[in-house]
Amino acid sequence: AGQDRTENTKGNTVDTKHLQPATLCTIMELYLDLVSPPCRAVYLFAEALKIPFEFKLVDLSAGKLNGAS
């Protein structure tokens, strides 16, 4: 068995056995309208940290908020 505990930045011991390697995780779907500043922030954050995601365009100006219209 590998190491199931690690120490965080505050010196506390944290249980990590429930965490999966990134290669086993599913790809996150991000539903975004890049005209929206909060959406752009999420997009840029994911890009900067190289978080794998699938971009799904949502046109908020067309009222595409709650699924297919």
Side-chain angles (χ1 to χ4, degrees), residues 9-47:
T9 57
K10 295 183 179 184
N12 300 322
T13 303
V14 179
D15 184 16
T16 59
K17 65 184 169 196
H18 66 283
L19 299 176
Q20 297 179 9
T23 56
L24 298 179
C25 294
T26 58
I27 293 178
M28 179 172 35
E29 294 177 350
L30 291 180
Y31 292 82
L32 305 169
D33 185 346
L34 295 180
V35 175
S36 162
C39 289
R40 279 197 311 270
V42 169
Y43 176 82
L44 292 171
F45 178 80
E47 283 284 325

Side-chain angles (χ1 to χ4, degrees), residues 44-67:
L44 292 171
F45 178 80
E47 283 284 325
L49 295 181
K50 299 185 182 347
I51 298 170
F53 66 92
E54 183 177 347
F55 176 77
K56 305 277 189 169
L57 178 63
V58 177
D59 188 0
L60 296 175
S61 64
K64 305 262 182 178
L65 191 57
N66 295 322

